[in-house]
Amino acid sequence: MTSRKVFVSYDHEGDMLEVLWALREGYFAATDDERVLKRLDDDGEVIGFLIHEMSTLKDPSPIEFELGSEVAPDDIGNVTVKEAALRLGVSERRVRKLARDGRVRGAVKAGSEWLIPTPVEVIPGRRGPVGVAGRAQEAGS
């Protein structure tokens, strides 16, 4: 029988539990449960998962989610707030505000940092004119 290490960490401030069975670079992708993100390496192999909003899980029934592997497209990954701001042509402060408001598709807060998947997608606001980030997305389309 082969022995295998599993790394488990809980971020109390970010209210997230992360489980890894391989310590490699990777990125997060959605699962069929909105509270769970799977961690994939650059080859698309699942190397762990992250459950956010752990304190909201009061139901005694187990969480069930699919962790199937997938091939990672070349342009998928996570970027920092600084990189997202450069790509969108806005300030880092604006990116943080958009992420906090749930307008950066797939963005998840990990401790004090935001994990922002690429390509960076901003969900349009409901009022006012199209902002700089919206124009940057329209130009890229």
Side-chain angles (χ1 to χ4, degrees):
M1 184 168 166
T2 305
S3 166
R4 188 176 215 178
K5 285 188 177 182
V6 176
F7 305 90
V8 179
S9 63
Y10 178 68
D11 178 356
H12 183 16
E13 183 179 317
D15 196 19
M16 296 179 294
L17 175 74
E18 185 169 16
V19 178
L20 296 172
W21 44 87
L23 293 177
R24 295 194 292 266
E25 291 293 317
Y27 62 95
F28 289 102
T31 66
D32 54 349
D33 186 320
E34 65 186 25
R35 300 166 296 186
V36 181
L37 297 172
K38 58 187 170 184
R39 185 157 180 90
L40 302 157
D41 67 9
D42 292 335
D43 296 326
E45 180 184 344
V46 178
I47 58 173
F49 61 89
L50 177 132
I51 302 173
H52 59 92
E53 300 176 0
M54 284 294 295
S55 64
T56 64
L57 303 177
K58 306 289 186 202
D59 186 1
S61 60
I63 299 173
E64 186 176 322
F65 51 92
E66 180 67 41
L67 283 178
S69 294
E70 58 189 49
V71 177
D74 293 337
D75 62 345
I76 297 290
N78 291 317
V79 294
T80 63
V81 168
K82 183 176 186 175
E83 178 63 26
L86 287 171
R87 291 180 184 201
L88 294 173
V90 298
S91 69
E92 292 177 37
R93 183 177 181 175
R94 181 67 179 149
V95 171
R96 284 188 196 92
K97 170 83 169 109
L98 291 168
R100 239 187 343 267
D101 292 346
R103 291 189 46 210
V104 178
R105 193 173 312 280
V108 175
K109 192 156 189 187
S112 62
E113 298 295 321
W114 283 95
L115 301 173
I116 301 174
T118 58
V120 180
E121 290 183 54
V122 176
I123 299 166
R126 297 183 198 178
R127 323 180 299 169
V130 175
V132 173
R135 286 194 297 269
Q137 280 189 310
E138 289 172 1
S141 299

